[in-house]
Amino acid sequence: MQPKIILLKEGTDTSQGKPQLVSNINACQSIVDAVRTTLGPRGMDKLIVDSKGKATISNDGATIMKLLDIVHPAAKTLVDIAKSQDAEVGDGTTSVVLLAGEFLKQLKPFVEEGVHPRIIIKAVRKALNLCVAQINELAFKIEKHDSEKHRALLEKCAATALNSKLIHQQKEFFAKMVVDTVTTLDTLLPLNMIGIKKVTGGALEESLLIEGVAFKKTFAYAGFEMQPKSYDNVKIALLNIELELKAERDNAEVRVDNVAEYQKVVDAEWQILYDKLAKIHQSGAQVVLSKLPIGDVATQYFADRDMFCAGRVPDEDLKRTQKACGGAVMTTVQDISDKVLGKCEHFEERQIGSERFNLFQGCPNAKTCTIILRGGAEQFLEETERSLHDAIMIVRRTIRNDSVVAGGGAIEMELSKMLRNYSRTIAGKEQLLIGAMAKALEIIPRQLCDNAGFDATNILNKLRQKHAQGCQWYGVDIMKEHIADNFEAFVWEPSVIKINALTAACEATCMILSVDETIKSPQSGGGDAPQPPMGRGMGRPF
C-alpha cells in the first residue's frame, strides 16, 4: 500500500497528454468558427453585446476577438495574434486567426495518431521559412520615383482593404481620402496625427478631409456668439488654466465683521480673474484654448476684445493642436509671451451637420489632418472608423515596405502549390506534415468562396489547375463567381501583411502544439474560506 503523494494544492485541476492537446485544438476551432464568416468582400458582420448591454456590429477580426470574452487559456493565443496583426499591419486580422485554426485542424490527425509534437513543430517552422522566402521572391516591387504610379498603387491597396468592409460601395471615394490623409503626414507617418471625428446625419459622401486640426465646438457660455468666427495668421494660446469664478468652498471659513470686508474678498477674486484675462490679451493671442472650463465672464471679456475662446478642449485635441501649431500648454499666465503661442494660417468655426467644428488649417510645425465622417447611425459610423483605420494602416505599410502581392486567395494558392511540390521531394514524416500545411493554406480562397455562396470545391479545382500551369496570380473573382488574375484586377495587398499573418499563425500553432499539460490552481478565497466576522453596520445598535 503506497501512500498517495500530494504535490499540488487540493482542488488543483490538471489534464495532460494527448487528450489535452486535442482539447486545446478543439477550443481554437470554435473561436475560428466565430470569425470564419467575416472574411472577404461577401463576409457577414457580427453583433456582439457586452455585459453592460452595449452592442457592437463589426466585421473587423481584431475587434471581434477583443470583444469575445474568452476564458480558455490556449484559445487566448488566437486573440493575441489577432491583436498583434492589428497593431503591426492593421489588416488581415481575420485571415491570421483562420490560418492558425486551419493549421491546427490539419495537424490534429497526426497528433491523434501519436506523432510527437516536436516533429510537427519542426515541420511547421520549415514550411513557414519556405513560404516567407517564396513571398519575398514573388512580391512585386514598387517604383517610388514615379509619383503618379505610386499614388495609384496606394489607392489600389486601400481599396482592397476596404473591399471586405461595410463601406465597400464607397471604396473609391474613401481610398482617395485615405491616401490623401497618409500622404499629408511627415515621413514618420505618426498615427496620432490623424484625427477621426464622427458626425451623425448626412450621407457618407459628405465626409471630408481637413488638412489641419479640427474638433467639435466645446461647451460655451453666454457671449460666445459675439466672438469672431474666422481669423487669418492667428496666434493661439494653449492653456491648462480655469478661467472662471470659483464657487466658495463649503469647508473654508472666512470671518468678516462688516460688509466692506466681505466686498474686499469678492473684489479680490474678480481682480485675480481680470488680471489673468488681461495678461492673455496682452500676449497677442487671438484664439484661447483651455483644457479646463472658461466661464461666462471670461467669454464675454474675450468677445469684447475680438478674441475667440474654447474651454474643456479634450486632451488629445489640445495635444494635436500643440504639435501642429507649435507653442506650449501653459499652466500659468505669468509668463505668456510670443514664444509659447502656437500659430496657424487660418482658423474658422464651421457648421458641419448639427455640430460646430473649430478648424485650424495651414499649421506650420507638424503635418496633421482630420477626417470628419458623416453617416446615418452611430453603429455605422463606428464601423466606418474601424474600416478606415485598417485602410490607413495598409497605406502606411505600403509606403514603408514597397512590395505588393495579389490578394483574393492568389498568394495562398501559390504557396500551397509550392509546399505540395516541395513535400514530394523529401522523405519521412515531414512529407505528410508539409502536405497538410499546404492543404491548410487553401482555407483562405475556400472561405472566400463559402462566404460568397459559391461552390468552393469547383473554384479551388480551377485554381489548382491554373497555378499548376504557372499562372501564379490567379485567385477568386467574387464579382463573376469565377477565377481571375487578381494582379490584373488590382486586388493588391502589401506582402508584409501576408508575411506577418503567416508568421503569427505558425507561431501560435507551434505554441499550442507545445503545450501538453494545463494546471489550474483553485481560486484563493473559495467557498470554504472563513468569512470575516460581521462588523457593526450603519444604524445597528451596539
Side-chain angles (χ1 to χ4, degrees), residues 20-260:
Q20 171 64 41
L21 257 173
V22 174
S23 93
N24 283 351
I25 292 176
N26 290 344
C28 295
Q29 243 24 83
S30 54
I31 289 196
V32 173
D33 288 339
V35 291
R36 185 186 287 280
T37 53
T38 63
L39 185 77
R42 295 279 187 273
M44 310 298 270
D45 294 0
K46 303 287 176 203
L47 193 157
I48 300 162
V49 185
D50 63 11
S51 52
K52 296 188 186 111
K54 181 179 182 291
T56 311
I57 298 174
S58 180
N59 183 289
D60 181 34
T63 309
I64 297 167
M65 298 295 278
K66 273 180 211 155
L67 292 171
L68 289 175
D69 205 358
I70 292 164
V71 191
H72 195 286
K76 279 187 181 160
T77 47
L78 294 188
V79 183
D80 294 341
I81 58 169
K83 281 185 186 166
S84 88
Q85 178 81 1
D86 197 37
E88 183 59 30
V89 201
D91 197 22
T93 44
T94 313
S95 312
V96 74
V97 177
L98 262 179
L99 283 169
E102 192 63 19
F103 288 158
L104 288 167
K105 183 179 167 186
Q106 296 295 343
L107 297 170
K108 184 172 147 190
F110 297 101
V111 174
E112 286 168 340
E113 282 164 20
V115 179
H116 196 279
R118 283 285 147 208
I119 294 174
I120 302 180
I121 290 171
K122 192 174 158 212
V124 170
R125 295 241 157 93
K126 192 164 193 180
L128 171 65
N129 293 336
L130 288 167
C131 286
V132 173
Q134 180 78 347
I135 291 177
N136 287 330
E137 198 180 303
L138 287 175
F140 175 75
K141 281 272 183 285
I142 308 158
E143 272 84 43
K144 283 191 176 175
H145 51 78
D146 186 348
S147 59
E148 290 265 310
K149 259 188 184 168
H150 190 226
R151 192 193 153 84
L153 173 118
L154 292 177
E155 281 182 20
K156 303 279 185 339
C157 287
T160 307
L162 291 171
N163 247 336
S164 62
K165 306 293 179 197
L166 224 135
I167 49 172
H168 60 88
Q169 247 80 33
Q170 285 87 7
K171 69 177 182 192
E172 301 295 323
F173 172 75
F174 280 116
K176 279 196 178 64
M177 186 187 277
V178 165
V179 175
D180 286 340
T181 306
V182 181
T183 45
T184 52
L185 299 178
D186 53 23
T187 46
L188 287 172
L189 307 174
L191 257 188
N192 59 353
M193 295 310 273
I194 302 174
I196 297 183
K197 303 287 173 198
K198 305 183 281 279
V199 183
T200 42
L204 266 177
E205 279 86 5
E206 286 172 36
S207 303
L208 63 152
L209 175 68
I210 287 154
E211 289 191 23
V213 184
F215 52 84
K216 265 184 202 165
K217 174 154 187 56
T218 51
F219 182 82
Y221 286 91
F224 81 95
E225 283 302 348
M226 286 127 75
Q227 295 176 346
K229 302 295 183 222
S230 169
Y231 295 98
D232 285 325
N233 296 327
V234 56
K235 291 183 180 175
I236 308 156
L238 305 162
L239 308 173
N240 191 359
I241 306 173
E242 206 164 345
L243 295 174
E244 63 179 346
L245 292 169
K246 288 275 205 337
E248 277 72 27
R249 293 274 162 82
D250 295 345
N251 57 358
E253 192 174 314
V254 181
R255 293 197 176 191
V256 287
D257 51 11
N258 58 22
V259 179

Side-chain angles (χ1 to χ4, degrees), residues 12 185 192 252 260 274 293 301 322 328 336 399 429 449 463 487 500:
T12 306
L185 299 178
N192 59 353
Y274 277 129
Y301 180 95
Q322 181 196 351
I336 286 191
I399 290 175
K429 291 174 191 161
C449 296
L463 280 177
F487 208 82
N500 206 54

Side-chain angles (χ1 to χ4, degrees), residues 158-385:
T160 307
L162 291 171
N163 247 336
S164 62
K165 306 293 179 197
L166 224 135
I167 49 172
H168 60 88
Q169 247 80 33
Q170 285 87 7
K171 69 177 182 192
E172 301 295 323
F173 172 75
F174 280 116
K176 279 196 178 64
M177 186 187 277
V178 165
V179 175
D180 286 340
T181 306
V182 181
T183 45
T184 52
L185 299 178
D186 53 23
T187 46
L188 287 172
L189 307 174
L191 257 188
N192 59 353
M193 295 310 273
I194 302 174
I196 297 183
K197 303 287 173 198
K198 305 183 281 279
V199 183
T200 42
L204 266 177
E205 279 86 5
E206 286 172 36
S207 303
L208 63 152
L209 175 68
I210 287 154
E211 289 191 23
V213 184
F215 52 84
K216 265 184 202 165
K217 174 154 187 56
T218 51
F219 182 82
Y221 286 91
F224 81 95
E225 283 302 348
M226 286 127 75
Q227 295 176 346
K229 302 295 183 222
S230 169
Y231 295 98
D232 285 325
N233 296 327
V234 56
K235 291 183 180 175
I236 308 156
L238 305 162
L239 308 173
N240 191 359
I241 306 173
E242 206 164 345
L243 295 174
E244 63 179 346
L245 292 169
K246 288 275 205 337
E248 277 72 27
R249 293 274 162 82
D250 295 345
N251 57 358
E253 192 174 314
V254 181
R255 293 197 176 191
V256 287
D257 51 11
N258 58 22
V259 179
E261 291 284 321
Y262 178 67
Q263 192 58 43
K264 274 186 195 167
V265 175
V266 176
D267 287 351
E269 208 175 356
W270 282 84
Q271 200 49 50
I272 291 168
L273 181 64
Y274 277 129
D275 287 350
K276 280 186 188 172
L277 298 176
K279 288 219 166 88
I280 294 169
H281 176 55
Q282 283 157 19
S283 71
Q286 291 130 312
V287 173
V288 182
L289 302 178
S290 177
K291 197 168 143 186
L292 297 171
I294 295 180
D296 37 11
V297 178
T299 310
Q300 197 70 55
Y301 180 95
F302 288 140
D304 294 344
R305 287 159 184 73
D306 278 351
M307 291 162 73
F308 176 90
C309 70
R312 297 184 188 165
V313 178
D315 193 34
E316 59 163 319
D317 291 329
L318 200 65
K319 280 188 178 146
R320 261 182 53 232
T321 312
Q322 181 196 351
K323 274 188 185 158
C325 304
V329 177
M330 301 298 291
T331 49
T332 167
V333 290
Q334 297 311 321
D335 41 8
I336 286 191
S337 63
D338 214 39
K339 287 203 290 279
V340 298
L341 295 181
K343 296 176 180 59
C344 80
E345 282 171 25
H346 185 64
F347 164 81
E348 67 168 317
E349 185 176 299
R350 194 193 300 174
Q351 185 85 16
I352 299 176
S354 58
E355 305 281 356
R356 281 191 179 182
F357 271 79
N358 300 334
L359 313 181
F360 297 85
Q361 287 164 305
C363 306
N365 276 24
K367 302 193 170 131
T368 175
C369 51
T370 310
I371 297 173
I372 296 178
L373 293 178
R374 307 294 314 276
E378 191 90 2
Q379 290 280 4
F380 190 76
L381 281 174
E382 280 180 18
E383 180 60 11
T384 307
E385 182 186 359

